[in-house]
Amino acid sequence: MNTQPLEYAGFWTRTGAALIDGILLLLITLPLLISIYGWEYLETEDLVLGPADFLISWVLPAFATVLFWLYKKATPGKMAVAAQVVDAQTGATVTVGQAMLRYLGYFIAMLPLGLGIFWIGFDRRKQGWHDKIAGTVVVKRTNTRPEPVRFN
């Protein structure tokens, strides 16, 4: 068992994780959507083009994200930055209800110009609104950086 102390993952760490997740999601969904709807898919202003678009763009990401939180405590992006999503009170794996609330909470956090996401940078526990809604925190092990510079 690793007893290394934890710290809250901050705004920039989580932003990096989100960028990684976004790129991976595009690499998976975009080829599927283009193969179904053609290159016109990139030019449309419609929110949803059809049932396949809804499933690939909305249902698949939600389902995958919730499963990653439940079984790995992290999406691939959070794994890359050594962060985990856990229950804010116990540090245990989130429940199904917490995972679903957290995912839906992203939409609430994004509504007022992303204020609920930027909140991470100012909150004492580095919680965004989606974390507060679901009762979760994002943590990482302390001292995960490279060896500090030492001179004789």
Side-chain angles (χ1 to χ4, degrees), residues 57-115:
S57 298
W58 294 90
V59 176
L60 174 69
F63 187 71
T65 300
V66 167
L67 285 179
F68 269 111
W69 289 336
L70 292 173
Y71 292 103
K72 296 289 191 179
K73 292 187 179 182
T75 57
K78 283 194 178 41
M79 286 184 228
V81 299
Q84 295 183 330
V85 178
V86 297
D87 179 80
Q89 299 300 316
T90 66
T93 302
V94 297
T95 65
V96 173
Q98 281 178 303
M100 291 171 56
L101 265 176
R102 187 173 196 274
Y103 193 85
L104 293 173
Y106 276 125
F107 296 98
I108 295 168
M110 290 301 294
L111 284 179
L113 302 174
L115 181 61

Side-chain angles (χ1 to χ4, degrees), residues 89-142:
Q89 299 300 316
T90 66
T93 302
V94 297
T95 65
V96 173
Q98 281 178 303
M100 291 171 56
L101 265 176
R102 187 173 196 274
Y103 193 85
L104 293 173
Y106 276 125
F107 296 98
I108 295 168
M110 290 301 294
L111 284 179
L113 302 174
L115 181 61
I117 302 296
F118 288 116
W119 196 263
I120 295 166
F122 305 100
D123 189 77
R124 179 179 60 84
R125 296 177 77 192
K126 303 301 179 194
Q127 288 177 294
W129 292 357
H130 53 291
D131 291 309
K132 291 184 180 295
I133 290 168
T136 60
V137 291
V138 179
V139 296
K140 65 179 190 145
R141 304 249 177 248
T142 58

